[in-house]
Amino acid sequence: QALKPNDPRGAYLRAVLAERANDKATARAALKRVTDLLDPVPIEYIRYRTQLLMLHGLAHYGLGELEKAKPFLELAARQQGPGSPLTKLLAQIALNEPNVNRAVELLDAYVKARPGDGQALLMLASTHMSQGRHSRAVALMQEALRAKDAPEYRTALGLSLLQSGKVASAADELARAYKADPKQTHAGLALITVYLREGQMPKALAVADTLARSNPNNATVLMVQAYAK
């Protein structure tokens, strides 16, 4: 930045470092610097410069300016092909619009190009769950777990199984997810519900008390703990 103060790459890297250091104010100021540098540039100049398109789109996305980010991310993703990680951001923008069908279309194309991307599979499974397509969500999370055993994937699988009516299998997955990572609050809450439904009160209360200790200011957790008691 000292050598090239008007190069947006330096400002973007500063934003990345600040974000990793949890310095939100510096990160936001650096992203704003990127957009201040690139917003005046005619689109004709950056249309075929993928790196500048990415910087512009990512900076607006990081600032929460999704509508401004969208055209730049779309152009960059088109140049990179269906396997571009930018596709996941575009899918998130589609979900926020909300345009669920577009999000599914983007994510389907992406996981076909990158079948082992658990984050994309989780996004796609969550989208299908929101639309009541629980069997599809189960299949996607099983695929994600074959690539990597992660607690958040087991949580999503457990929730999908629960919605599909497979309570025993759901309880197993939720218990494994919560045991591996007690921060999986959704897994813990769902597990309490299953235990209460099956009359396993001591188990339900044990999970509820643990959750409440970890989340003392979470009203939902406290309500579920009260219900268990």
Side-chain angles (χ1 to χ4, degrees):
Q1 285 191 303
L3 290 169
K4 295 188 176 184
N6 293 325
D7 189 330
R9 292 173 297 182
Y12 186 77
L13 286 172
R14 181 177 292 281
V16 172
L17 290 170
E19 185 70 31
R20 291 184 182 178
N22 204 30
D23 183 350
K24 305 292 185 185
T26 300
R28 187 169 184 83
L31 291 174
K32 183 69 168 59
R33 175 65 177 158
V34 176
T35 59
D36 286 346
L37 288 168
L38 290 177
D39 278 348
V41 178
I43 187 63
E44 290 74 19
Y45 178 78
I46 64 172
R47 183 182 297 276
Y48 299 107
R49 290 173 168 83
T50 307
Q51 188 181 67
L52 289 180
L53 289 170
M54 288 175 61
L55 284 174
H56 208 171
L58 290 170
H60 277 302
Y61 189 92
L63 291 168
E65 299 166 351
L66 304 188
E67 278 303 310
K68 291 182 179 179
K70 185 177 175 181
F72 300 107
L73 294 176
E74 284 179 335
L75 284 170
R78 201 173 299 146
Q79 291 170 22
Q80 292 182 334
S84 169
L86 299 176
T87 305
K88 290 186 283 186
L89 298 185
L90 288 168
Q92 189 60 60
I93 291 172
L95 288 171
N96 288 348
E97 287 176 341
N99 187 344
V100 175
N101 290 337
R102 177 59 177 157
V104 170
E105 179 186 333
L106 287 165
L107 290 168
D108 274 338
Y110 179 81
V111 297
K112 197 171 291 184
R114 293 180 179 265
D117 191 320
Q119 183 190 41
L121 290 167
L122 180 57
M123 285 180 68
L124 187 54
S126 299
T127 304
H128 281 301
M129 267 196 286
S130 72
Q131 299 299 298
R133 296 187 285 265
H134 303 295
S135 297
R136 178 61 179 145
V138 166
L140 286 165
M141 293 326 301
Q142 288 172 334
E143 182 182 341
L145 282 165
R146 283 194 290 272
K148 179 185 176 183
D149 192 341
E152 59 269 27
Y153 301 165
R154 290 204 176 276
T155 295
L157 176 57
L159 293 173
S160 302
L161 287 167
L162 193 59
Q163 293 297 326
S164 300
K166 300 174 182 177
V167 179
S169 298
D172 288 342
E173 295 298 342
L174 293 168
R176 290 175 69 179
Y178 187 66
K179 183 178 179 181
D181 180 12
K183 293 180 181 178
Q184 293 294 312
T185 307
H186 290 301
L189 289 170
L191 195 56
I192 294 168
T193 302
V194 172
Y195 286 153
L196 288 173
R197 190 185 300 171
E198 295 181 343
Q200 300 185 52
M201 302 307 172
K203 283 187 175 183
L205 194 54
V207 176
D209 288 344
T210 304
L211 264 182
R213 283 194 296 271
S214 303
N215 302 272
N217 298 315
N218 187 317
T220 302
V221 169
L222 296 174
M223 285 173 64
V224 171
Q225 183 194 31
Y227 184 64
K229 286 180 180 296

